[in-house]
Amino acid sequence: MLSPVRTLLLIGVGAGDPDFVTTQAIAALNRVDVFFVLDKPYSEAAASDLNAVRDEICTRYVRDPGYRTVTVVDPPRDRAAADYAAGVSDWRDRRAETLEDAIRAELPDGGCGGLLVWGDPCLYDSTIGVVEHIRDRGDLELDYEVIPGISSIQALAARHRLTLNRVGRGVQITSGRHLAGGLAPDVDDVVVMLDPHLACATLPDRDLDDFDIYWGAYLGTPDELLAAGPLRTVVADIARTRQDARDRKGWIMDSYLLRRRRPAG
Ligand SMILES: C[S@@+](CC[C@H](N)C(=O)[O-])C[C@H]1O[C@@H](n2cnc3c(N)ncnc32)[C@H](O)[C@@H]1O
């Protein structure tokens, strides 16, 4: 007889504020027998703050505290790999193996596992890719569901009272690594995430003059910071603010929208 399939729930829990957790996420949290916590290579300070949010979410929303928690230690990633995509893919393979081993060992047949994903699992997050990889390997029968969450982008837009796109136009979402190459002339609205070095500060003069910035750090948390204005005028202040915050807290998570003041056409 075939053993009952294990199920994993990838639960988006929002980007900081436990009030971001949706009723769909709460229902999912209450189905979970075993939570798998991917111990990502954050600094100790970041890991402790992010774990505190995760704990508060479980304490607040899970009605029966009979669940178990299993920490899965992430294999280290080779950030110096010459081929960025190959480096990420190799890391994803090793993470998949590690998570698969933990599921096999800790989640009984027919059991329901849960992974709390920061923000939304469908945006700049590798969890779906890792689970797909486990399924592709074919050694473990695993079903999974994705529960959307409020992403940092939505939190950023709401705090600045912005619509991300302008009428009839597109909006680009990218990382600091890509922004560092400069803005294409036809890009008028761009959301930047994963930007440890505030790449917008080093854009060419033309872009510094043409764009406004809407910036937010630790969105949805008691440490939230916001700033906005013409990029050239405010970028040095933002750089100082984020450095002070990083020194004070030991880590920073920030995102921003760059908006061309007078889009062509
Ligand atoms: C690995 S991505 C995860 C994105 C996440 N899945 C989401 O939906 O927001 C991490 C990046 O998201 C952004 N981010 C996540 N949470 C944030 C927050 N509370 N405030 C500002 N930016 C945040 C930062 O740009 C950070 O570098």
Side-chain angles (χ1 to χ4, degrees):
M1 199 176 79
L2 282 178
S3 56
V5 178
R6 296 165 167 102
T7 301
L8 264 194
L9 305 179
L10 313 192
I11 308 172
V13 292
D17 187 341
D19 282 348
F20 287 160
V21 175
T22 66
T23 48
Q24 193 179 39
I26 294 172
L29 289 168
N30 281 285
R31 287 169 58 196
V32 171
D33 307 311
V34 182
F35 285 102
F36 293 92
V37 178
L38 297 181
D39 184 19
K40 295 195 180 174
Y42 293 131
S43 70
E44 226 170 87
S48 133
D49 287 357
L50 298 181
N51 283 341
V53 175
R54 199 181 288 134
D55 290 348
E56 187 184 339
I57 287 170
C58 286
T59 308
R60 210 199 274 189
Y61 297 118
V62 179
R63 288 181 295 274
D64 174 3
Y67 58 83
R68 286 189 304 123
T69 300
V70 171
T71 300
V72 182
V73 178
D74 245 8
R77 176 170 148 202
D78 178 8
R79 290 184 181 271
D83 181 339
Y84 178 83
V88 171
S89 159
D90 167 64
W91 181 54
R92 194 170 278 189
D93 292 355
R94 287 182 291 122
R95 293 180 80 200
E97 278 172 45
T98 312
L99 180 59
E100 181 176 325
D101 289 346
I103 294 169
R104 190 178 289 109
E106 304 286 349
L107 189 65
D109 288 348
C112 183
L115 284 137
L116 269 53
V117 181
W118 190 259
D120 185 275
C122 307
L123 182 73
Y124 279 116
D125 187 273
S126 53
T127 316
I128 292 177
V130 168
V131 173
E132 277 295 328
H133 196 83
I134 293 176
R135 282 157 58 92
D136 286 349
R137 286 160 54 89
D139 295 335
L140 183 74
E141 249 200 301
L142 188 65
D143 195 6
Y144 78 106
E145 297 172 31
V146 178
I147 290 87
I150 295 190
S151 72
S152 50
I153 296 186
Q154 291 161 291
L156 176 77
R159 294 299 283 131
H160 283 287
R161 299 187 295 188
L162 291 169
T163 309
L164 287 174
N165 66 292
R166 283 180 279 180
V167 177
R169 292 176 172 276
V171 55
Q172 190 180 78
I173 301 171
T174 193
S175 65
R177 203 170 66 84
H178 282 104
L179 187 74
L183 284 160
D186 59 344
V187 170
D188 297 325
D189 295 277
V190 54
V191 176
V192 185
M193 307 171 71
L194 290 163
D195 183 7
H197 306 299
L198 196 65
C200 65
T202 55
L203 285 170
D205 278 348
R206 192 192 56 232
D207 293 334
L208 288 173
D209 288 333
D210 285 358
F211 281 84
D212 290 329
I213 182 170
Y214 298 86
W215 174 82
Y218 316 109
L219 290 156
T221 77
D223 296 306
E224 182 176 274
L225 296 167
L226 298 171
L231 184 55
R232 185 185 284 286
T233 315
V234 299
V235 74
D237 269 352
I238 291 176
R240 260 191 305 277
T241 303
R242 79 198 290 281
Q243 188 56 51
D244 289 349
R246 202 203 302 255
D247 292 346
R248 193 172 59 248
K249 278 184 67 70
W251 63 284
I252 188 156
M253 231 187 217
D254 62 342
S255 313
Y256 51 91
L257 171 75
L258 296 177
R259 168 153 287 174
R260 197 184 292 278
R261 225 164 288 124
R262 279 179 288 279

